[in-house]
Amino acid sequence: MNSFEDNLLELIRSHPTLYRNKDKKHKSLILKENCWKEIAKSLNKKRQNVEITPIKAVRRIGDELIVLCKVPYQIDSCRMIVGTTSYRLIPGNQEGDVVYSGQGLTTGECGAHIKNIREDWNGNVTCVLPPQSSNIEVTGTMRLLVARAPGDPHLISPPQPQFKDEDIFSAQCVVPNGRPAAKILWFLDDEQLLEGVHQPVVTDEPGSDLQTVSQNITRTIRADDNNRMLACRAEHEALDQPREAKRQLIVHYPPKRLESGPITVFGLKLGAEGKLNVTVRSNPPPTAVWMVGDIRITAPHSTDNGAITALEPLHLGNGHYNVSLHLARITKEDVERTYYLQVFNDLGREEFTLRMSTMDEPAASTVNSALLLQLYGVELDTGAIVGIVVAVLVLLIAVFLGVFAFATDRWCFAGRGRELAKNSGESSDTESAAGAGRSRLAALGARVRAVIPRAKDRVQATDAHDAESQSEEKKGVIYAELALGDQTSADKPPPPSTEYAEIVYTDQPGQKEVKE
């Protein structure tokens, strides 16, 4: 029994559904058919132990192709089936459309150099090699696609001639009869579209190996799409250049402003003629109406005296229009006046507010993000305004710090409180600024407290009608000046305050009266 039969028996043994009557799946014809398919597939894998490169290739008519089959053992023959013809390849023989290519039969290589590919060779290319130990040849197969150019692409889109802003647009591109199927790309002018592109659908043509591909696209129409060209481009290996199907998009939309806010026209001169210009986007073309004071002017018309003329909107291209108001002679009233403009079409309207200026246009006004301030004819840009704000903040901080230092005797005002206390002590008639004077007063107070008991201290009220008694009582009165405050430090002066006390005492027996 050879190796093929051994493999077959082993595979059948691994599928008991085929031979066990008691198996529940044995009666199912579909399951048994699937088992035989798996066995055949496994046998083919065991037989085709051939490494082949490439597995698949696409070539144009007249191109070349090298197919290499290799087995891990020495072979004595090499055969290649291309189309319906079988070629025996011999190393060293390079005559014919299909010749040997490789390192030799002893290395196990069976290669074919296919020259000048023909369309009838489209299909499988099979190499046939002798087996290593059995009498069954081993094979390897690759797929050769001989490219055939597809037909012209067809662009299928809505029949309406124009669209509106924000409309949903859908289209389909069909490229028929290509081998293989063509590749579809979408473009809007030169911009490749990736968003809204659906997956391609490939269908086989009945009774042929040709394929037709179709692809859809969905897009939200925008005003910027107006007059742009939508293209369905087909690329294929058999084409020298891509083929395209195109359609121009016409988009209608209301007038749209290009700049926001009020508009100021600079550089005008009193006594000279001037013009107010506004650029808008619109499709279809807009109608312009100017309001100059109480006068309404519809373009293209003028005032009765011809001093002011509203010009017809001028098409600049791609939906842009220049709307202008011409003044024959600019007066002071014209500069002080505010002008209003309405631009409209069938889909909507846009309004503008304009002013004139006899000043030159500032450089910052050409930048959308710039900030411009005019004060009494002086124009300040963003940098100048920021500098002024920073300077004011620094000045406010400096004033605050100065007031804080003055109030709290800090920094440059640190010696202020000490000098005030010193000057106050020197100007007092009853206080001594020197430490020695304070010490003497403290000693005098201590002697008075030692001589007079605290329990007998009292304050006497004098009687106004007894002058003589009052004179006698004054003989026993001592006036003392008491310095209040911390006396422990001689460096720090006491607070500028002085208290006076009247001390009254009586004569004690045996004490001699002392007259002052």
Side-chain angles (χ1 to χ4, degrees):
M1 207 178 291
N2 57 35
S3 59
F4 174 78
E5 294 174 348
D6 293 339
N7 293 333
L8 177 58
L9 291 175
E10 181 181 352
L11 291 173
I12 294 176
R13 192 179 296 114
S14 63
H15 293 78
T17 303
L18 297 174
Y19 57 86
R20 285 186 180 178
N21 296 333
K22 295 182 180 181
D23 195 315
K24 296 180 180 180
K25 301 178 182 178
H26 180 70
K27 295 182 180 181
S28 175
L29 297 178
I30 297 177
L31 292 178
K32 287 193 291 185
E33 183 180 356
N34 292 336
C35 290
W36 284 116
K37 288 181 179 180
E38 291 180 3
I39 292 173
K41 187 175 180 181
S42 299
L43 284 175
N44 187 54
K45 286 184 178 180
K46 291 180 179 293
R47 292 179 58 196
Q48 187 173 331
N49 188 20
V50 179
E51 179 183 349
I52 183 170
T53 55
I55 297 297
K56 184 178 181 179
V58 179
R59 294 293 187 271
R60 300 172 65 173
I61 296 176
D63 288 349
E64 297 181 353
L65 175 65
I66 294 178
V67 179
L68 180 62
C69 297
K70 188 174 182 180
V71 291
Y73 55 88
Q74 183 176 342
I75 58 177
D76 57 7
S77 65
C78 173
R79 189 159 52 92
M80 192 76 64
I81 301 175
V82 181
T84 58
T85 306
S86 178
Y87 297 87
R88 184 184 179 191
L89 306 180
I90 301 174
N93 185 3
Q94 297 297 311
E95 295 181 0
D97 292 336
V98 180
V99 297
Y100 179 85
S101 176
Q103 300 297 322
L105 300 180
T106 57
T107 62
E109 291 187 359
C110 175
H113 180 193
I114 305 174
K115 305 176 183 179
N116 194 19
I117 293 177
R118 303 194 302 260
E119 184 174 0
D120 60 329
W121 286 353
N122 178 72
N124 292 335
V125 176
T126 303
C127 58
V128 182
L129 292 82
Q132 184 176 8
S133 58
S134 65
N135 57 0
I136 300 177
E137 294 178 320
V138 294
T139 61
T141 302
M142 61 87 59
R143 178 68 175 172
L144 172 61
L145 288 178
V146 180
R148 178 175 176 177
D152 293 333
H154 301 286
L155 181 59
I156 304 173
S157 61
Q160 60 195 83
Q162 69 271 338
F163 303 90
K164 294 181 181 180
D165 192 14
E166 303 298 330
D167 278 354
I168 303 299
F169 173 84
S170 296
Q172 184 184 53
C173 182
V174 180
V175 184
N177 301 331
R179 188 200 302 131
K183 180 181 180 181
I184 297 178
L185 300 175
W186 292 91
F187 286 86
L188 194 60
D189 287 345
D190 295 331
E191 175 190 356
Q192 183 177 355
L193 300 179
L194 300 176
E195 183 179 358
V197 177
H198 299 210
Q199 289 293 328
V201 177
V202 178
T203 57
D204 296 327
E205 293 297 324
S208 171
D209 58 356
L210 302 180
Q211 294 179 319
T212 296
V213 59
S214 61
Q215 190 175 46
N216 294 349
I217 186 172
T218 303
R219 177 177 176 84
T220 301
I221 295 295
R222 298 190 295 264
D224 293 337
D225 297 337
N226 184 45
N227 290 328
R228 301 182 73 181
M229 194 68 68
L230 178 68
C232 158
R233 180 179 299 178
E235 295 183 350
H236 195 270
E237 292 84 350
L239 294 176
D240 294 328
Q241 292 182 349
R243 296 176 180 175
E244 291 184 343
K246 298 182 178 180
R247 169 188 180 153
Q248 188 177 32
L249 299 179
I250 305 299
V251 184
H252 286 183
Y253 50 90
K256 298 177 180 291
R257 62 166 61 233
L258 302 183
E259 52 184 322
S260 60
I263 300 174
T264 302
V265 180
F266 295 92
L268 302 177
K269 296 182 179 180
L270 295 176
E273 66 177 9
K275 183 181 291 186
L276 298 177
N277 294 312
V278 177
T279 302
V280 299
R281 295 190 63 185
S282 177
N283 192 33
T287 299
V289 177
W290 292 87
M291 293 297 298
V292 183
D294 297 332
I295 303 175
R296 178 185 176 94
I297 308 174
T298 302
H301 291 88
S302 304
T303 56
D304 295 338
N305 57 6
I308 303 176
T309 302
L311 303 179
E312 181 75 17
L314 177 62
H315 189 209
L316 304 177
N318 196 25
H320 291 76
Y321 290 86
N322 185 24
V323 183
S324 301
L325 183 70
H326 181 265
L327 287 81
R329 183 176 180 274
I330 298 176
T331 63
K332 183 178 179 181
E333 290 77 11
D334 295 331
V335 176
E336 296 174 350
R337 181 183 292 132
T338 299
Y339 300 82
Y340 300 95
L341 170 64
Q342 291 183 355
V343 182
F344 58 91
N345 60 18
D346 295 338
L347 301 178
R349 67 173 56 215
E350 190 68 69
E351 297 183 351
F352 301 85
T353 302
L354 295 92
R355 295 295 301 270
M356 289 185 177
S357 175
T358 57
M359 301 177 61
D360 294 333
E361 182 176 3
S365 65
T366 61
V367 183
N368 292 335
S369 61
L371 175 63
L372 184 65
L373 182 64
Q374 295 185 6
L375 298 174
Y376 302 102
V378 178
E379 297 173 354
L380 302 177
D381 58 7
T382 306
I385 295 175
V386 172
I388 293 174
V389 172
V390 172
V392 171
L393 290 177
V394 171
L395 180 61
L396 292 176
I397 293 173
V399 171
F400 172 76
L401 293 177
V403 173
F404 177 76
F406 182 83
T408 58
D409 293 339
R410 294 176 181 270
W411 303 319
C412 57
F413 299 101
R416 171 177 166 272
R418 186 177 300 173
E419 292 181 0
L420 289 176
K422 181 177 179 181
N423 294 336
S424 176
E426 290 177 352
S427 61
S428 177
D429 295 334
T430 60
E431 292 180 341
S432 174
R438 292 195 299 271
S439 299
R440 289 195 296 271
L441 289 175
L444 177 60
R447 289 198 297 269
V448 171
R449 288 193 296 271
V451 173
I452 304 173
R454 294 182 180 272
K456 296 182 179 181
D457 292 348
R458 60 189 180 89
V459 179
Q460 298 291 337
T462 60
D463 191 355
H465 71 276
D466 191 357
E468 183 176 351
S469 174
Q470 184 180 17
S471 176
E472 290 295 327
E473 287 179 358
K474 286 184 179 180
K475 292 181 181 182
V477 176
I478 297 177
Y479 294 93
E481 179 182 337
L482 302 180
L484 303 179
D486 188 7
Q487 302 297 331
T488 60
S489 174
D491 295 335
K492 184 176 180 181
S497 61
T498 304
E499 296 290 340
Y500 294 92
E502 181 178 337
I503 302 172
V504 181
Y505 68 95
T506 58
D507 293 338
Q508 297 181 1
Q511 186 176 6
K512 193 174 182 179
E513 183 178 354
V514 179
K515 293 184 179 181
E516 295 183 359

